[in-house]
Short mmCIF file of all heavy atoms in Angstrom, two decimals:
data_model
loop_
_atom_site.label_atom_id
_atom_site.label_comp_id
_atom_site.label_asym_id
_atom_site.label_seq_id
_atom_site.Cartn_x
_atom_site.Cartn_y
_atom_site.Cartn_z
N LEU A 1345 12.52 -57.86 89.62
CA LEU A 1345 13.51 -57.07 88.90
C LEU A 1345 14.63 -56.63 89.84
O LEU A 1345 14.37 -56.20 90.96
CB LEU A 1345 12.81 -55.84 88.29
CG LEU A 1345 13.61 -54.92 87.39
CD1 LEU A 1345 14.08 -55.66 86.13
CD2 LEU A 1345 12.76 -53.72 87.00
N SER A 1346 15.85 -56.70 89.35
CA SER A 1346 16.99 -56.29 90.15
C SER A 1346 16.98 -54.79 90.41
O SER A 1346 16.23 -54.03 89.78
CB SER A 1346 18.29 -56.67 89.43
OG SER A 1346 18.39 -55.98 88.19
N ILE A 1347 17.81 -54.37 91.34
CA ILE A 1347 17.85 -52.96 91.73
C ILE A 1347 18.18 -52.05 90.55
O ILE A 1347 17.58 -50.99 90.38
CB ILE A 1347 18.86 -52.77 92.87
CG1 ILE A 1347 18.30 -53.35 94.17
CG2 ILE A 1347 19.21 -51.29 93.06
CD1 ILE A 1347 19.27 -53.31 95.33
N ASN A 1348 19.12 -52.47 89.72
CA ASN A 1348 19.51 -51.61 88.58
C ASN A 1348 18.64 -51.84 87.36
O ASN A 1348 18.85 -51.21 86.33
CB ASN A 1348 20.98 -51.81 88.23
CG ASN A 1348 21.30 -53.23 87.79
OD1 ASN A 1348 20.42 -54.05 87.54
ND2 ASN A 1348 22.59 -53.53 87.71
N GLY A 1349 17.67 -52.74 87.46
CA GLY A 1349 16.74 -52.96 86.37
C GLY A 1349 17.28 -53.78 85.22
O GLY A 1349 16.63 -53.91 84.18
N ARG A 1350 18.47 -54.37 85.38
CA ARG A 1350 19.09 -55.06 84.25
C ARG A 1350 18.78 -56.56 84.21
O ARG A 1350 18.98 -57.20 83.18
CB ARG A 1350 20.61 -54.86 84.31
CG ARG A 1350 21.02 -53.43 84.09
CD ARG A 1350 22.51 -53.23 84.25
NE ARG A 1350 22.90 -51.83 84.11
CZ ARG A 1350 24.12 -51.37 84.34
NH1 ARG A 1350 25.08 -52.20 84.72
NH2 ARG A 1350 24.38 -50.09 84.18
N ARG A 1351 18.33 -57.10 85.32
CA ARG A 1351 17.99 -58.53 85.34
C ARG A 1351 16.58 -58.71 85.87
O ARG A 1351 16.17 -58.05 86.82
CB ARG A 1351 18.96 -59.31 86.23
CG ARG A 1351 20.37 -59.40 85.68
CD ARG A 1351 21.19 -60.42 86.45
NE ARG A 1351 21.25 -60.12 87.87
CZ ARG A 1351 20.79 -60.90 88.83
NH1 ARG A 1351 20.20 -62.05 88.53
NH2 ARG A 1351 20.91 -60.56 90.09
N ALA A 1352 15.85 -59.61 85.22
CA ALA A 1352 14.47 -59.87 85.62
C ALA A 1352 14.18 -61.36 85.55
O ALA A 1352 14.72 -62.08 84.71
CB ALA A 1352 13.50 -59.11 84.72
N ASN A 1353 13.32 -61.79 86.43
CA ASN A 1353 12.80 -63.15 86.40
C ASN A 1353 11.33 -63.08 86.04
O ASN A 1353 10.62 -62.15 86.44
CB ASN A 1353 12.95 -63.83 87.77
CG ASN A 1353 14.40 -64.01 88.17
OD1 ASN A 1353 15.30 -64.08 87.33
ND2 ASN A 1353 14.63 -64.13 89.47
N TYR A 1354 10.85 -64.09 85.30
CA TYR A 1354 9.46 -64.12 84.89
C TYR A 1354 8.87 -65.50 85.12
O TYR A 1354 9.53 -66.52 84.91
CB TYR A 1354 9.31 -63.77 83.40
CG TYR A 1354 9.58 -62.33 83.07
CD1 TYR A 1354 10.83 -61.92 82.62
CD2 TYR A 1354 8.57 -61.38 83.18
CE1 TYR A 1354 11.08 -60.60 82.30
CE2 TYR A 1354 8.80 -60.05 82.87
CZ TYR A 1354 10.05 -59.67 82.43
OH TYR A 1354 10.29 -58.35 82.12
N LEU A 1355 7.62 -65.51 85.49
CA LEU A 1355 6.83 -66.74 85.51
C LEU A 1355 6.77 -67.25 84.06
O LEU A 1355 6.55 -66.46 83.13
CB LEU A 1355 5.44 -66.43 86.04
CG LEU A 1355 4.45 -67.57 86.18
CD1 LEU A 1355 4.88 -68.51 87.30
CD2 LEU A 1355 3.05 -67.01 86.46
N GLU A 1356 6.93 -68.54 83.89
CA GLU A 1356 6.96 -69.11 82.54
C GLU A 1356 5.71 -68.74 81.74
O GLU A 1356 5.80 -68.45 80.55
CB GLU A 1356 7.08 -70.63 82.64
CG GLU A 1356 7.39 -71.32 81.31
CD GLU A 1356 8.76 -70.94 80.76
OE1 GLU A 1356 9.69 -70.74 81.55
OE2 GLU A 1356 8.86 -70.87 79.52
N ALA A 1357 4.58 -68.68 82.39
CA ALA A 1357 3.31 -68.43 81.70
C ALA A 1357 3.19 -67.02 81.14
O ALA A 1357 2.33 -66.77 80.28
CB ALA A 1357 2.14 -68.69 82.65
N VAL A 1358 4.05 -66.10 81.58
CA VAL A 1358 3.94 -64.71 81.11
C VAL A 1358 5.13 -64.28 80.28
O VAL A 1358 5.15 -63.15 79.76
CB VAL A 1358 3.74 -63.74 82.29
CG1 VAL A 1358 2.58 -64.18 83.17
CG2 VAL A 1358 5.01 -63.57 83.10
N LYS A 1359 6.12 -65.15 80.14
CA LYS A 1359 7.30 -64.78 79.36
C LYS A 1359 6.91 -64.42 77.93
O LYS A 1359 6.13 -65.10 77.29
CB LYS A 1359 8.30 -65.95 79.35
CG LYS A 1359 9.06 -66.10 80.65
CD LYS A 1359 10.07 -67.24 80.57
CE LYS A 1359 10.84 -67.38 81.88
NZ LYS A 1359 11.79 -68.51 81.84
N GLY A 1360 7.48 -63.33 77.45
CA GLY A 1360 7.18 -62.86 76.10
C GLY A 1360 5.96 -61.98 76.02
O GLY A 1360 5.72 -61.35 74.98
N ARG A 1361 5.17 -61.94 77.09
CA ARG A 1361 3.95 -61.10 77.09
C ARG A 1361 4.03 -59.97 78.11
O ARG A 1361 3.49 -58.89 77.87
CB ARG A 1361 2.73 -61.96 77.40
CG ARG A 1361 2.49 -63.09 76.42
CD ARG A 1361 1.14 -63.77 76.68
NE ARG A 1361 1.09 -64.42 77.99
CZ ARG A 1361 0.18 -64.13 78.93
NH1 ARG A 1361 -0.74 -63.21 78.71
NH2 ARG A 1361 0.19 -64.79 80.08
N PHE A 1362 4.67 -60.21 79.23
CA PHE A 1362 4.78 -59.21 80.30
C PHE A 1362 6.20 -58.67 80.37
O PHE A 1362 7.16 -59.41 80.15
CB PHE A 1362 4.44 -59.83 81.65
CG PHE A 1362 2.99 -60.20 81.84
CD1 PHE A 1362 2.09 -60.22 80.79
CD2 PHE A 1362 2.52 -60.53 83.12
CE1 PHE A 1362 0.76 -60.57 80.98
CE2 PHE A 1362 1.21 -60.87 83.32
CZ PHE A 1362 0.33 -60.91 82.25
N THR A 1363 6.30 -57.39 80.72
CA THR A 1363 7.61 -56.77 80.90
C THR A 1363 7.59 -55.93 82.17
O THR A 1363 6.72 -55.06 82.33
CB THR A 1363 7.97 -55.87 79.71
OG1 THR A 1363 7.94 -56.64 78.51
CG2 THR A 1363 9.36 -55.28 79.90
N VAL A 1364 8.54 -56.18 83.04
CA VAL A 1364 8.67 -55.41 84.28
C VAL A 1364 9.73 -54.33 84.07
O VAL A 1364 10.73 -54.55 83.38
CB VAL A 1364 9.02 -56.33 85.47
CG1 VAL A 1364 10.37 -56.99 85.27
CG2 VAL A 1364 8.97 -55.56 86.77
N SER A 1365 9.49 -53.18 84.68
CA SER A 1365 10.47 -52.10 84.60
C SER A 1365 10.36 -51.24 85.84
O SER A 1365 9.42 -51.39 86.64
CB SER A 1365 10.24 -51.25 83.33
OG SER A 1365 8.97 -50.65 83.35
N ARG A 1366 11.32 -50.35 86.00
CA ARG A 1366 11.32 -49.49 87.18
C ARG A 1366 11.92 -48.15 86.84
O ARG A 1366 12.73 -48.02 85.91
CB ARG A 1366 12.08 -50.16 88.32
CG ARG A 1366 13.56 -50.33 88.09
CD ARG A 1366 14.18 -51.27 89.14
NE ARG A 1366 14.02 -50.71 90.49
CZ ARG A 1366 14.20 -51.43 91.60
NH1 ARG A 1366 14.49 -52.70 91.53
NH2 ARG A 1366 14.06 -50.84 92.77
N ASP A 1367 11.54 -47.15 87.62
CA ASP A 1367 12.13 -45.82 87.55
C ASP A 1367 12.48 -45.44 88.98
O ASP A 1367 11.61 -44.99 89.73
CB ASP A 1367 11.16 -44.83 86.92
CG ASP A 1367 11.80 -43.48 86.66
OD1 ASP A 1367 12.72 -43.10 87.42
OD2 ASP A 1367 11.38 -42.80 85.73
N ASN A 1368 13.72 -45.65 89.35
CA ASN A 1368 14.12 -45.42 90.74
C ASN A 1368 14.03 -43.94 91.12
O ASN A 1368 13.80 -43.61 92.28
CB ASN A 1368 15.53 -45.95 90.98
CG ASN A 1368 15.58 -47.47 90.98
OD1 ASN A 1368 14.56 -48.14 91.14
ND2 ASN A 1368 16.77 -48.03 90.79
N ALA A 1369 14.21 -43.08 90.15
CA ALA A 1369 14.13 -41.64 90.45
C ALA A 1369 12.71 -41.25 90.87
O ALA A 1369 12.53 -40.32 91.65
CB ALA A 1369 14.56 -40.84 89.23
N LEU A 1370 11.73 -41.97 90.33
CA LEU A 1370 10.33 -41.68 90.65
C LEU A 1370 9.77 -42.63 91.71
O LEU A 1370 8.61 -42.50 92.09
CB LEU A 1370 9.47 -41.79 89.38
CG LEU A 1370 9.76 -40.78 88.28
CD1 LEU A 1370 8.86 -41.05 87.08
CD2 LEU A 1370 9.59 -39.36 88.77
N ASN A 1371 10.60 -43.58 92.14
CA ASN A 1371 10.14 -44.58 93.11
C ASN A 1371 8.98 -45.40 92.57
O ASN A 1371 8.03 -45.71 93.29
CB ASN A 1371 9.74 -43.91 94.44
CG ASN A 1371 10.65 -44.29 95.59
OD1 ASN A 1371 11.77 -44.78 95.39
ND2 ASN A 1371 10.20 -44.07 96.81
N MET A 1372 9.08 -45.75 91.30
CA MET A 1372 7.98 -46.43 90.61
C MET A 1372 8.42 -47.77 90.04
O MET A 1372 9.58 -47.95 89.64
CB MET A 1372 7.46 -45.57 89.46
CG MET A 1372 6.83 -44.26 89.84
SD MET A 1372 5.19 -44.44 90.55
CE MET A 1372 4.28 -45.07 89.15
N VAL A 1373 7.47 -48.69 89.96
CA VAL A 1373 7.65 -49.98 89.31
C VAL A 1373 6.46 -50.17 88.36
O VAL A 1373 5.34 -49.76 88.69
CB VAL A 1373 7.66 -51.14 90.32
CG1 VAL A 1373 7.99 -52.47 89.63
CG2 VAL A 1373 8.63 -50.88 91.44
N TYR A 1374 6.72 -50.82 87.22
CA TYR A 1374 5.67 -51.00 86.23
C TYR A 1374 5.61 -52.46 85.79
O TYR A 1374 6.61 -53.18 85.83
CB TYR A 1374 5.93 -50.13 85.01
CG TYR A 1374 6.15 -48.67 85.33
CD1 TYR A 1374 7.44 -48.15 85.45
CD2 TYR A 1374 5.07 -47.82 85.54
CE1 TYR A 1374 7.66 -46.82 85.75
CE2 TYR A 1374 5.28 -46.48 85.85
CZ TYR A 1374 6.57 -45.99 85.95
OH TYR A 1374 6.77 -44.67 86.25
N LEU A 1375 4.44 -52.85 85.33
CA LEU A 1375 4.29 -54.16 84.71
C LEU A 1375 3.44 -53.95 83.45
O LEU A 1375 2.24 -53.69 83.55
CB LEU A 1375 3.63 -55.17 85.63
CG LEU A 1375 3.54 -56.60 85.07
CD1 LEU A 1375 4.95 -57.21 84.95
CD2 LEU A 1375 2.66 -57.48 85.96
N GLN A 1376 4.08 -54.04 82.31
CA GLN A 1376 3.38 -53.96 81.04
C GLN A 1376 2.90 -55.36 80.67
O GLN A 1376 3.71 -56.29 80.56
CB GLN A 1376 4.31 -53.43 79.94
CG GLN A 1376 3.67 -53.35 78.56
CD GLN A 1376 2.55 -52.33 78.50
OE1 GLN A 1376 2.66 -51.23 79.01
NE2 GLN A 1376 1.44 -52.72 77.86
N MET A 1377 1.60 -55.50 80.48
CA MET A 1377 1.00 -56.80 80.20
C MET A 1377 0.34 -56.75 78.84
O MET A 1377 -0.61 -55.98 78.63
CB MET A 1377 -0.02 -57.15 81.28
CG MET A 1377 0.55 -57.10 82.70
SD MET A 1377 -0.61 -57.69 83.94
CE MET A 1377 -1.89 -56.45 83.82
N ASN A 1378 0.85 -57.53 77.91
CA ASN A 1378 0.31 -57.61 76.55
C ASN A 1378 -0.27 -58.99 76.28
O ASN A 1378 0.03 -59.95 76.99
CB ASN A 1378 1.41 -57.31 75.54
CG ASN A 1378 1.98 -55.91 75.70
OD1 ASN A 1378 1.30 -54.98 76.09
ND2 ASN A 1378 3.27 -55.78 75.38
N ASP A 1379 -1.10 -59.05 75.25
CA ASP A 1379 -1.71 -60.33 74.85
C ASP A 1379 -2.33 -61.03 76.07
O ASP A 1379 -2.08 -62.22 76.32
CB ASP A 1379 -0.68 -61.23 74.18
CG ASP A 1379 -1.29 -62.46 73.54
OD1 ASP A 1379 -2.49 -62.42 73.22
OD2 ASP A 1379 -0.57 -63.47 73.37
N LEU A 1380 -3.12 -60.31 76.79
CA LEU A 1380 -3.71 -60.85 78.03
C LEU A 1380 -4.68 -61.99 77.73
O LEU A 1380 -5.37 -62.01 76.70
CB LEU A 1380 -4.40 -59.74 78.80
CG LEU A 1380 -3.44 -58.83 79.57
CD1 LEU A 1380 -4.09 -57.51 79.91
CD2 LEU A 1380 -2.95 -59.53 80.83
N LYS A 1381 -4.72 -62.93 78.65
CA LYS A 1381 -5.56 -64.12 78.53
C LYS A 1381 -6.47 -64.21 79.75
O LYS A 1381 -6.12 -63.68 80.82
CB LYS A 1381 -4.68 -65.36 78.45
CG LYS A 1381 -3.66 -65.32 77.33
CD LYS A 1381 -2.75 -66.54 77.37
CE LYS A 1381 -1.72 -66.48 76.25
NZ LYS A 1381 -0.83 -67.67 76.25
N PRO A 1382 -7.60 -64.88 79.63
CA PRO A 1382 -8.49 -65.03 80.80
C PRO A 1382 -7.78 -65.61 82.01
O PRO A 1382 -8.12 -65.26 83.15
CB PRO A 1382 -9.58 -65.96 80.27
CG PRO A 1382 -9.65 -65.66 78.81
CD PRO A 1382 -8.21 -65.42 78.40
N GLU A 1383 -6.80 -66.48 81.80
CA GLU A 1383 -6.09 -67.08 82.92
C GLU A 1383 -5.15 -66.10 83.62
O GLU A 1383 -4.58 -66.42 84.67
CB GLU A 1383 -5.30 -68.32 82.47
CG GLU A 1383 -4.43 -68.10 81.26
CD GLU A 1383 -5.10 -68.54 79.96
OE1 GLU A 1383 -6.30 -68.23 79.76
OE2 GLU A 1383 -4.41 -69.17 79.14
N ASP A 1384 -5.00 -64.89 83.08
CA ASP A 1384 -4.25 -63.84 83.77
C ASP A 1384 -5.10 -63.10 84.79
O ASP A 1384 -4.60 -62.25 85.52
CB ASP A 1384 -3.70 -62.83 82.75
CG ASP A 1384 -2.67 -63.44 81.81
OD1 ASP A 1384 -1.83 -64.22 82.29
OD2 ASP A 1384 -2.72 -63.12 80.61
#
């Protein structure tokens, strides 16, 4: 994820299921993972 959080790159296998985000004020990064599969 870019510094301002506006651009992200994703592995093809997780596109549409995972979402990356950040909160720079809290010095935090997150990865929301939905529809998880055993291969994850």
Side-chain angles (χ1 to χ4, degrees):
L1345 185 63
S1346 63
I1347 287 175
N1348 62 12
R1350 293 176 183 173
R1351 291 192 302 119
N1353 296 335
Y1354 289 96
L1355 182 69
E1356 191 65 35
V1358 308
K1359 284 182 180 178
R1361 301 188 296 122
F1362 290 12
T1363 303
V1364 63
S1365 62
R1366 66 192 299 165
D1367 187 330
N1368 289 341
L1370 295 178
N1371 246 18
M1372 296 285 295
V1373 186
Y1374 307 97
L1375 185 67
Q1376 178 66 43
M1377 306 186 295
N1378 298 329
D1379 190 23
L1380 282 160
K1381 304 175 181 181
E1383 50 264 44
D1384 295 319

